[in-house]
């Protein structure tokens, strides 16, 4: 194999790998887009977000404490008081290179007659992109994790 063929071969492999990464990123983004609707916007990341779950208060807490391999977020969930918890999101597991940063929420979990209300109150965040992206992903995370529906 001469020098020109070798350079062409290496360059072809490089472009193939780069193309696979780009296509995978686009496909994953389109899956999220079709699943949760719309494009990420600052409207999704509010100072306060309310979710309602059919599970009991104890069940909601246990589900949020337990980590699954298919959870989108890398996060910590810690107790602060009886009904107040801290949710610290450290990154998006699947898109770790796409969006990094820490965002902290206070989580207030109140049991109602037949369901449980979960209030997420924004405390602080590293960067605006992470705040917007995590707010957008939160809807899907809560639906999947505790079958919670977001109320506007």
């Amino acid at each position: 194999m001469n020098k020109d063929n070798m350079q062409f071969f290496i360059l072809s492999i490089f472009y193939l790998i780069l193309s696979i990464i780009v296509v995978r990123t686009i496909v994953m983004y389109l899956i999220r887009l079709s699943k949760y609707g719309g494009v990420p916007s600052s409207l999704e990341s509010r100072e306060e977000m309310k979710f309602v779950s059919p599970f009991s208060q104890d069940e909601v807490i246990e589900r949020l404490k337990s980590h699954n391999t298919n959870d989108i977020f890398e996060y910590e969930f810690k107790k602060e008081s009886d009904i107040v918890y801290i949710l610290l999101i450290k990154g998006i597991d699947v898109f770790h290179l796409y969006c990094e940063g820490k965002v902290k929420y206070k989580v207030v979990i109140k049991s109602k007659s037949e369901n449980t209300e979960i209030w997420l109150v924004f405390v602080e965040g590293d960067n605006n992109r992470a705040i917007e992206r995590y707010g957008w992903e939160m809807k899907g995370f809560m639906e999947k994790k505790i079958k919670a529906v977001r109320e506007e």
Side-chain angles (χ1 to χ4, degrees), residues 77-91:
F77 187 75
K78 297 179 183 177
K79 185 174 186 173
E80 189 173 83
S81 67
D82 287 342
I83 62 170
V84 179
Y85 292 81
I86 297 294
L87 176 65
L88 177 64
I89 301 173
K90 299 176 181 179

Side-chain angles (χ1 to χ4, degrees), residues 57 60-61 64 77 82-85 107-111 116-119:
Q57 183 177 1
V60 167
I61 293 166
L64 288 173
F77 187 75
D82 287 342
I83 62 170
V84 179
Y85 292 81
V107 182
V108 179
I109 302 172
K110 296 180 184 178
S111 189
T116 302
E117 287 183 355
I118 301 97
W119 285 90

Side-chain angles (χ1 to χ4, degrees), residues 86-114:
I86 297 294
L87 176 65
L88 177 64
I89 301 173
K90 299 176 181 179
I92 295 179
D93 195 23
V94 178
F95 293 95
H96 188 69
L97 295 173
Y98 178 66
C99 189
E100 292 182 347
K102 292 182 181 178
V103 176
K104 185 177 183 180
Y105 294 97
K106 280 199 179 202
V107 182
V108 179
I109 302 172
K110 296 180 184 178
S111 189
K112 296 293 181 185
S113 58
E114 60 223 27

Side-chain angles (χ1 to χ4, degrees), residues 8-88:
F8 178 76
F9 179 73
I10 291 173
L11 198 57
S12 297
I13 296 294
F14 173 75
Y15 283 127
L16 178 67
I17 292 171
L18 187 63
S19 299
I20 289 171
I21 291 170
V22 168
V23 168
R24 180 187 177 278
T25 303
I26 290 170
V27 167
M28 294 300 286
Y29 185 79
L30 290 175
I31 289 170
R32 291 236 179 285
L33 190 66
S34 67
K35 210 172 175 186
Y36 307 135
V39 287
S41 70
S42 57
L43 296 175
E44 293 296 326
S45 181
R46 298 184 179 158
E47 293 291 319
E48 293 181 355
M49 295 180 275
K50 179 184 177 185
F51 294 89
V52 177
S53 173
F55 297 124
S56 69
Q57 183 177 1
D58 293 336
E59 214 172 345
V60 167
I61 293 166
E62 284 306 311
R63 284 176 177 254
L64 288 173
K65 280 183 183 177
S66 66
H67 293 270
N68 298 333
T69 55
N70 59 351
D71 285 342
I72 182 104
F73 293 128
E74 293 176 14
Y75 70 96
E76 290 180 16
F77 187 75
K78 297 179 183 177
K79 185 174 186 173
E80 189 173 83
S81 67
D82 287 342
I83 62 170
V84 179
Y85 292 81
I86 297 294
L87 176 65
L88 177 64

